[in-house]
Amino acid sequence: MIIRLIIGALMIGSVYGVVGIGYGLIYKASGLMSLAQGDMLMFGAFLGITFYKYLQLPFIVALLLTMIIMFLLGMFIERVMVTKLIEKGAQTVYIILCTISISMILQNSAMLTWGSNVLQFPAIFNSASVKIFGVSVAPENLLVLGVGVIIMVTLQLFLTKTKFGISMRAAAQDEVAASALGINVPLTKGTAWGIASMLAGAIGVVVGPVFGVYMSMGAMIGQKAFAGAVVGGYGNMFGAIIGGVFFGFLETFVSAYLTSNYKDFITFGILIVVMIIMPKGIFNEEVME
């Protein structure tokens, strides 16, 4: 049972971590906060099931197409909506309200397009289970964990080893200096929003076979991913991963050994306690005003 719980905790923790990284990317690139990341995951899951189940495309093709569409959607939101608000002198709170509106639009668009019922994602693997240390585990759970780890490692390499990734980090630290060095700051901002949307959509596709696909699936995931990002140190990529895994283990073991009825109450109660003790998070991240 312990092994099964650990695998489950790592699986859901990786989901929170990937979505939390998206929050941090947007924050670091533009100093803004998007509250639509959970529904980006939901919308990506619906796109994935459309490509895989209804259009009968191979799963990897469905995943890649979803990632491309979600990347373009994220860039569109930043370039067409967020940037226009900033140019008109909108305060940060209005941009946050805009992302909440986007979240509602995504939910209602999903309901109008796919309905409000839970859609069952077809099995990806032929085998119903695999053995891990003698314990039977659904291969879809391992896929979520594997994709989450690959995303985290790939993003870290992209941000630290590629020229464009380093340019994104430079633009996030000082826009004026980055512009003076020839970095296209608007492009880096749009790309950051696009990557955050793409990551959420990708993890949504692989988590669909585990939980099913439905309109409100991203709401609680988005909240816990945000909480994980805050606990880790908002804007810190490693902090988002650590915080996400922390909440994954917390809710999994609370559900197993205490009660599943109040796991969210306990989880967010512990968040409040952690924030009182460590207001800057585990990695002591400075928060921009």
Side-chain angles (χ1 to χ4, degrees):
M1 181 176 176
I2 289 292
I3 295 174
R4 187 177 287 110
L5 288 175
I6 290 174
I7 293 174
L10 288 173
M11 183 272 291
I12 192 62
S14 67
V15 174
Y16 296 154
V18 169
V19 178
I21 287 174
Y23 285 117
L25 266 177
I26 291 173
Y27 176 70
K28 280 295 188 180
S30 56
L32 300 172
M33 183 185 298
S34 171
L35 297 182
Q37 284 300 103
D39 288 302
M40 290 292 186
L41 176 147
M42 174 273 298
F43 205 74
F46 273 112
L47 289 176
I49 198 172
T50 299
F51 292 134
Y52 183 61
K53 180 178 181 179
Y54 300 119
L55 298 183
Q56 298 291 306
L57 298 176
F59 179 77
I60 187 64
V61 175
L63 177 61
L64 292 175
L65 283 175
T66 299
M67 292 173 68
I68 292 170
I69 292 173
M70 295 304 297
F71 177 82
L72 294 175
L73 176 60
M75 284 202 73
F76 174 82
I77 290 171
E78 196 282 330
R79 290 285 81 206
V80 176
M81 300 180 186
V82 175
T83 298
K84 295 300 181 184
L85 286 172
I86 294 174
E87 290 175 352
K88 292 183 179 295
Q91 296 180 357
T92 302
V93 64
Y94 296 117
I95 297 173
I96 295 174
L97 288 173
C98 176
T99 64
I100 295 175
S101 299
I102 292 168
S103 181
M104 295 296 102
I105 290 171
L106 289 173
Q107 286 188 27
N108 284 276
S109 297
M111 183 178 65
L112 290 172
T113 305
W114 292 283
S116 56
N117 295 325
V118 179
L119 302 182
Q120 297 302 319
F121 209 110
I124 300 171
F125 301 97
N126 295 326
S127 175
S129 64
V130 294
K131 292 285 186 179
I132 302 293
F133 298 111
V135 176
S136 296
V137 179
E140 284 79 8
N141 288 4
L142 298 179
L143 176 66
V144 175
L145 177 58
V147 169
V149 171
I150 290 171
I151 286 175
M152 295 172 189
V153 173
T154 303
L155 182 62
Q156 178 64 19
L157 292 174
F158 170 74
L159 291 174
T160 58
K161 302 298 182 181
T162 67
K163 184 177 180 179
F164 191 80
I166 295 172
S167 297
M168 286 178 61
R169 293 167 58 207
Q173 291 178 8
D174 192 322
E175 291 185 17
V176 176
S179 297
L181 292 172
I183 294 174
N184 189 335
V185 174
L187 177 62
T188 62
K189 286 184 177 181
T191 301
W193 282 70
I195 291 175
S197 175
M198 179 181 68
L199 297 184
I203 205 69
V205 175
V206 294
V207 85
V210 178
F211 298 129
V213 181
Y214 51 98
M215 186 186 69
S216 60
M217 66 180 293
M220 188 57 70
I221 292 177
Q223 292 175 24
K224 290 181 179 177
F226 182 79
V230 171
V231 167
Y234 198 71
N236 188 297
M237 302 303 161
F238 289 109
I241 297 170
I242 298 298
V245 173
F246 168 75
F247 276 102
F249 271 87
L250 181 63
E251 72 170 56
T252 299
F253 280 84
V254 165
S255 297
Y257 291 106
L258 294 178
T259 173
S260 60
N261 295 328
Y262 301 107
K263 64 182 177 67
D264 294 333
F265 172 80
I266 295 172
T267 297
F268 287 107
I270 290 177
L271 168 65
I272 295 173
V273 174
V274 171
M275 287 296 91
I276 292 173
I277 298 173
M278 299 183 297
K280 293 184 180 180
I282 296 172
F283 285 87
N284 199 33
E285 188 75 17
E286 292 290 339
V287 177
M288 293 181 286
E289 295 293 336

